[in-house]
Amino acid sequence: MEIKLSISLLASDRRESLERCLDSLKPLLTKVPCELIIVFTGTDEEVKKIAEKYTPQVIPFQWCSDFSAARNAGLEKARGEWFLYLDDDEWFDDIEEICAFFLSGEYRDYQSAHYIQRNYQDWEGTRYSDFSAFRMVKRQPWTRFQNPIHEELAPRKEPCKYFQTCVHHYGYAQERRETKGSQKNARNISLLEQSVREQPAFVKNYLQLAKEYDLEGDWKTAEKYCRTGRSICQNTEDRCSKGWLQAYLSHLLCSRPGKQQAIGEIEEIIEKEDPLELILLVLYQELVHLYKEEREPEKAVLYGIKFEQLLNDLDSNAGIWEKQGYGEFDENYVKNPERLYALWADCTACALALDDLEHASHFMELFPWKEESLLCRYYPDFEEWRENFGSGFAVIASRVLDSLADHPDSLGGSDTLDVSTIPDGAAPVYLCFVRALSLLTDGRRTQGERLSIWCMEHSDDSYLQQVILHEALLNRIDLSALAVRMDLYAWDSSVEESLKDIPYTLSCSVLESAEKLQEDCPLHSLCLRKHTLKLKLIKGFFMWEELTGMLESYCQCILAFYKSQYKSEMFEEKSCVFLPGECRFAMTALDALNRLERGTPTEAVHLFRTCIKIFPSMTGVLTELLRQVLRRIHDPALQAAEEFFRLAGQMKGTLSTLLEAGQTVQAAGILDQLLPLMPEDVELIRMRQELIRRTKL
């Protein structure tokens, strides 16, 4: 048998998507004389068994961080006239165009071919970008893959066929105000400019013009007046106006592109113009932010230290604040929480980046840990540090927690924390939460779990509650203490967000967590269950029986969730339009599944397409379901009687006997009759592969 196409597939340990990938190849394997070669780079024996169901050519390959080497392993085994390659996490939408390319003889007119790789940016299947991928070539002795990553076939020869065939790929599924001023601004500017013409040495006009133009969004003109005013101040004793202009110029410089120029000018002001202490604090604040933005953490920390030292000096001599304050640049400006806490945050992050835990602890300790209403806006920053700096962040969080206690030993030191010793409000929930995670990481399950539950009982901030929920799901901690503190709406949104980063492998344990909530928080339990079933549907890559079964379970869970909240009248046809989209989707999908069971698949297909419009976040799942439904509609075996399957079973037994006896010609004759009648039968597809392999030999 002449092999027209060799299909080479890299298979790692992605069990969920491999079978869907192989299933999408069935029409090609059935209709076109082609061989399937699977290069197995993983270690999961279950994955290998799935591969061996489809082909005897499963080649073990020791992964060496070189994609071209793995691809070439499959290429070397290929005997087809053409060669096609793909990965185990992508699958064809409709492969009939490629089938026709070979069956019609069109392949003889081309040397290479592209098809479309649809890269999804979300798991819902709604955001994606299409890429024309060079994945097929007429095989030559010198055809090889090159480049260890982003590998490509070489050489690529013309003419090239561009298929519209699409493979689905989920592998990638992670300012200045420019507001114009008012008529008042325009009026003020006109009057001030007139005054400047009349009194060119009056410096306050320049201050006001700088502010007005800045409010207009014209920072260039604002900077011009700021510089002019500074030059006038050089010859006066007006240090307050000069200081204001120095500070305002630094603000304008930080607002424009080119941060290095801003750094240079601000440092020049510090070195050559002898700014007032209060203005120095403002300039230090700007430099900390600029150096962090420019990724020079050493200098950011240096100026942060200078800022703190100078701030302490001014606080010890309160008269300086009053003496040097001018306009908006005063003590309140420097100590404004948005600016002050932002400086501490930048310095902490930079010190962590330098692994300077001493200064990181110092700056982090300055935060208002007992005022959650002020502190909570920095929780996202803390979480970013926890993710980026790991153990270093855990160390400084532990140091800060101990330093905040009147008697550090009463909190159990840095290794544990006895929740029974913590009075309400005595310890920051976030720091206790980080301590709990450290205990869990260190294998102290009992202490870590107790402290996690304490954090659940004492957290009121919605962001922190979501973070705690996420970690509790990862660590399989009872969620009851958190669920009773969260209203259903907040719980629903938090669960949805938390599950986005939960590994698919933990979905079963999350369902167990939902079961534990059933008695005390039944609606919270249903909510967690429906989001988890959605996760399983989207990321599970199920085949027909599991896919339809999981979809039914998901829809039943949704209905139970909403029927617990709405009156029965809402679910009548005249009122259901007012139900949430998720609920209407569940009702429509269940109707479609029932029609499939009753043997009216065409009606079911129409309803499933309606489901996509109702609930776009399930587009990926429903698209795959439609693909499998349409395949089943056109599968002759599904329309056959029981006698057909008995006869088919006998013929398959005969085929096996013929293959074992080496009677390939007789086996090929039977296979050619039986395979068109049972194109979905994996056992027959494998027999064909075995026949092809023996013919090659």
Side-chain angles (χ1 to χ4, degrees), residues 512-569:
E512 291 174 6
S513 296
E515 188 67 27
K516 292 176 182 177
L517 288 173
Q518 180 62 39
E519 184 175 349
D520 295 331
C521 305
L523 283 177
H524 290 69
S525 172
L526 280 171
C527 180
L528 181 56
R529 179 174 170 78
K530 72 181 177 72
H531 282 297
T532 308
L533 291 175
K534 182 179 180 182
L535 169 73
K536 287 176 71 68
L537 267 172
I538 289 173
K539 296 187 179 183
F541 302 114
F542 298 118
M543 297 309 300
W544 180 252
E545 287 79 7
E546 288 181 294
L547 180 59
T548 52
M550 186 63 67
L551 179 61
E552 182 177 5
S553 297
Y554 173 52
C555 293
Q556 294 288 8
C557 184
I558 291 173
L559 282 184
F561 179 72
Y562 287 104
K563 284 183 176 180
S564 299
Q565 302 173 67
Y566 293 91
K567 292 182 178 179
S568 58
E569 291 86 347

Side-chain angles (χ1 to χ4, degrees), residues 386-453:
R386 184 167 70 88
E387 180 178 351
N388 292 339
F389 305 115
S391 59
F393 177 72
V395 168
I396 69 166
S398 185
R399 289 181 184 177
V400 174
L401 179 58
D402 290 338
S403 71
L404 293 174
D406 293 334
H407 303 287
D409 290 341
S410 69
L411 296 180
S414 60
D415 292 330
T416 187
L417 190 62
D418 184 357
V419 296
S420 65
T421 66
I422 309 176
D424 285 345
V429 178
Y430 183 83
L431 294 178
C432 292
F433 162 69
V434 176
R435 176 74 60 81
L437 293 181
S438 296
L439 292 168
L440 291 168
T441 302
D442 292 341
R444 298 182 174 129
R445 175 79 188 182
T446 302
Q447 300 99 315
E449 189 168 344
R450 287 184 61 208
L451 188 52
S452 295
I453 293 172

